[in-house]
């Protein structure tokens, strides 16, 4: 009886650990027609080798009027990325092509839409200074937050 109980505990543990680890590495963030991200801080544990972020636009306005994306970079690079992206236009998610300062980004979306991005954290540091923002022209002033990897 004892041996069976112990075995059942091991099976339960191994079945629940992967789901728990996966949830820690999956984030969701909402944006709206008032030019806001719902969260101002996002973090994942250092154990996440890969992170998936899903952006939801909970508003109703079209992408060309109130489009949003989620862009991750070092805090130092974010304003320059946004400035350079303005000339790229909506067809390129307001991001300069092949900009190596961009760690990850979602597509530009309008009201009622969602977009996800999965990226590696291999080159990111737990003590790094990272931020996320929307690169739609003018939105970076309000639509930004911090991203951290916790030990």
């Amino acid at each position: 009886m004892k041996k069976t109980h112990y075995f059942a505990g091991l099976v339960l543990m191994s079945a629940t650990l992967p789901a728990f680890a996966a949830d820690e590495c999956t984030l969701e963030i909402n944006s709206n027609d008032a030019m806001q991200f719902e969260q101002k801080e996002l973090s994942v544990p250092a154990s996440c080798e890969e992170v998936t972020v899903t952006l939801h636009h909970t508003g109703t306005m079209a992408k060309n009027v109130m489009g949003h994306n989620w862009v991750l970079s070092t805090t130092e690079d974010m304003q320059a990325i946004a400035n350079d992206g303005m000339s790229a236009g909506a067809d390129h998610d307001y991001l300069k092509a092949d900009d190596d300062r961009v760690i990850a980004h979602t597509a530009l979306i309008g009201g009622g839409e969602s977009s996800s991005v999965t990226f590696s954290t291999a080159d990111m540091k737990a003590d790094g200074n990272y931020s996320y923002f929307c690169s739609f022209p003018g939105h970076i002033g309000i639509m930004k937050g911090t991203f951290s990897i916790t030990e």
Side-chain angles (χ1 to χ4, degrees):
M1 183 87 169
K2 229 177 191 182
K3 189 172 186 180
T4 304
H5 179 72
Y6 180 71
F7 180 73
L10 284 177
V11 170
L12 178 62
M13 255 181 90
S14 65
T16 57
L17 281 178
F20 178 74
D23 288 346
E24 288 183 315
C25 304
T26 301
L27 304 171
E28 295 195 18
I29 184 167
N30 292 327
S31 59
N32 60 37
D33 286 342
M35 229 167 53
Q36 298 170 334
F37 282 128
E38 187 176 79
Q39 298 95 325
K40 296 294 182 194
E41 297 176 8
L42 294 175
S43 67
V44 294
S47 60
C48 293
E49 295 176 7
E50 215 176 55
V51 176
T52 298
V53 174
T54 300
L55 171 67
H56 303 284
H57 191 318
T58 61
T60 59
M61 298 177 88
K63 176 169 62 173
N64 65 327
V65 177
M66 188 58 67
H68 300 312
N69 60 359
W70 184 89
V71 182
L72 178 64
S73 71
T74 63
T75 302
E76 179 182 2
D77 288 336
M78 64 187 233
Q79 187 63 57
I81 292 168
N83 291 347
D84 290 347
M86 282 193 276
S87 60
D91 290 343
H92 300 284
D93 302 322
Y94 293 107
L95 292 169
K96 186 174 88 173
D98 301 320
D99 191 334
D100 61 2
R101 300 169 297 181
V102 174
I103 297 168
H105 71 91
T106 65
L108 188 69
I109 57 173
E113 297 178 326
S114 295
S115 178
S116 294
V117 62
T118 299
F119 58 96
S120 169
T121 59
D123 294 330
M124 298 177 74
K125 299 175 182 146
D127 62 350
N129 191 0
Y130 304 104
S131 290
Y132 60 89
F133 61 97
C134 175
S135 66
F136 192 98
H139 290 198
I140 191 173
I142 298 171
M143 294 188 75
K144 57 187 171 186
T146 59
F147 185 91
S148 58
I149 298 174
T150 57
E151 296 277 344

